[in-house]
Amino acid sequence: MTGVTGPVPVPARVEVVCLGESMVTFLPSRPGRLADVPSFDRAIGGAESNVACALAAAGHAVKWVSRVGADGFGDHLVAAVGAYGVDTSGVRRDPERPTGIYFRTATDRATDAHEVAYYRAGSAASAMSPATVPYRELWAGRVLHLSGITAALSAGCLALMRELTRRGPGRPLVSFDVNHRPGLWRDGSGAEILLELARGADLVFVGEDEAAEAWGLRGADAIRAALPEPRTLVVKRGSAGATVLTREGEEGARDGGYGTGRDAGDTVTDMPALHVDVVAPVGAGDAFAAGFLSATLRGLPAAARLRHGHLMAAATLTVPGDLGTPPARADADRLAGLDARAWERLRLGPGWTAAIEQEVRTR
């Protein structure tokens, strides 16, 4: 990558670097088809910047690396992400390519009524490549967080992702959210490429549904068999909860060593999801990743990492946009420390993070 042949020393103050495209998001003022919605509210959306914002709001030092246009939407994105406390000095402005935008309906992404209209072809972020993203920007933290969406944006983005998921000594812990989006892979190559990239990561997040759709795999054991290399594999099971498969020496992922899957000594931890009064599901997976990473950075055990992921996801599920306000750390720790019965009885509704004593109720 640009003039750098090896890892750059890690500044102690940076914990996580997130690389990826963010777009200006237009949220409908009311339910209905895009053709019928009269107006939209402006927000921001992007898998990796969502993770960055959530981690920063939870008190972590985070840097977002990307490209945006030299336009008003680019100004808005940089300012909005920066307002969460994210370091945006790694965002480059492209004078020739625009900032991506998209419109979506208020309905659940999983239903046939859900519509998304993307205007991102040829965006500034699609110009990211090994030649345009300095290595020092990406090697600046303890964790480098990536997602499969970036690989689909252009040949240059795919080349960059392949470099970043190539194992080598001294690299930070590489976190990878599969984020399979079939519509972005018009040539049908996405499933194979995403499997390749995931195998090069140290920590992988994948939904059970997307593993079935992309790879025809069902269940944590089958997914682990296809992904033996990552030290940590998190399988998200929607409203049923999540499972994490971990091996001893997770932080040793920096040495570039390979593993051999569950038979090599995986510790398997399951955690049921919370009961949540869902407002909108978009961004919940990114929030889950942020909660899990936050707990990982703090050295918490696997069960607590899953619970913090669920709590962060609940904060996003109970707001209309892609980003929710996470609970204060003390409140999140208290909830994550509940016994199994109390955890399963929790029900979270809109506004619960702002007034946690009033909004958290049992059933």
Side-chain angles (χ1 to χ4, degrees):
M1 295 190 181
T2 313
V4 179
T5 58
V8 175
V10 177
R13 67 180 183 84
V14 179
E15 294 180 278
V16 182
V17 175
C18 297
L19 168 78
E21 180 175 34
S22 189
M23 294 176 286
V24 173
T25 308
F26 290 93
L27 306 175
S29 57
R30 69 183 191 196
R33 301 184 310 152
L34 288 179
D36 300 329
V37 175
S39 60
F40 296 81
D41 295 320
R42 185 179 65 175
I44 61 173
E48 302 84 3
S49 61
N50 285 347
V51 173
C53 291
L55 281 169
H60 296 281
V62 189
K63 186 170 189 172
W64 173 48
V65 176
S66 189
R67 290 176 73 87
V68 300
D71 50 32
F73 286 146
D75 294 341
H76 174 65
L77 275 177
V78 173
V81 174
Y84 281 85
V86 176
D87 178 353
T88 60
S89 63
V91 180
R92 300 292 183 264
R93 308 302 293 266
D94 192 317
E96 298 179 356
R97 298 174 180 85
T99 303
I101 64 173
Y102 76 98
F103 297 77
R104 68 172 173 85
T105 54
T107 47
D108 189 334
R109 178 182 287 163
T111 71
D112 292 337
H114 182 70
E115 297 176 75
V116 182
Y118 288 105
Y119 299 90
R120 73 194 308 179
S123 70
S126 70
M128 292 190 294
S129 73
T132 62
V133 180
Y135 213 88
R136 69 182 63 253
E137 299 282 7
L138 303 173
W139 230 253
R142 291 171 54 191
V143 176
L144 172 61
H145 181 71
L146 311 168
S147 101
I149 293 172
T150 302
L153 299 181
S154 67
C157 284
L158 175 56
L160 176 62
M161 291 290 288
R162 282 179 162 148
E163 285 205 19
L164 295 176
T165 53
R166 182 177 298 121
R167 296 180 184 276
R171 77 174 189 179
L173 188 148
V174 174
S175 167
F176 180 75
D177 193 337
V178 172
N179 260 324
H180 180 232
R181 299 288 184 267
L184 295 177
W185 300 93
R186 299 193 182 280
D187 63 357
S189 64
E192 181 179 353
I193 289 171
L194 293 174
L195 186 63
E196 168 201 337
L197 297 176
R199 293 183 68 178
D202 304 306
L203 164 59
V204 173
F205 298 95
V206 62
E208 196 171 46
D209 56 346
E210 64 184 343
E213 182 180 28
W215 307 320
L217 301 174
R218 288 172 174 79
D221 284 343
I223 298 169
R224 177 49 124 176
L227 292 171
E229 295 88 355
R231 302 257 181 182
T232 302
L233 172 65
V234 181
V235 179
K236 298 174 290 182
R237 297 180 286 114
S239 61
T243 299
V244 59
L245 298 91
T246 60
R247 287 193 300 273
E248 292 297 322
E250 175 187 347
E251 294 300 328
R254 293 187 180 90
D255 66 12
Y258 283 68
T260 56
R262 183 177 246 184
D263 291 340
D266 276 324
T267 298
V268 182
T269 306
D270 294 304
M271 187 59 59
L274 291 159
H275 300 285
V276 179
D277 298 330
V278 176
V279 173
V282 181
D286 305 328
F288 180 94
F292 190 95
L293 286 171
S294 174
T296 298
L297 289 165
R298 296 169 59 200
L300 300 182
R305 297 180 192 193
L306 289 173
R307 285 191 171 187
H308 278 275
H310 286 315
L311 288 165
M312 195 80 84
T316 292
L317 287 167
T318 50
V319 299
D322 286 23
L323 290 164
T325 301
R329 183 171 290 184
D331 291 327
D333 285 343
R334 177 172 63 82
L335 294 176
L338 292 173
D339 63 38
R341 178 174 171 78
W343 174 262
E344 292 181 7
R345 293 177 62 202
L346 277 178
R347 188 178 187 112
L348 306 176
W352 71 272
T353 61
I356 195 166
E357 293 302 326
Q358 291 76 31
E359 296 296 335
V360 176
R361 60 190 187 276
T362 59
R363 70 176 198 177

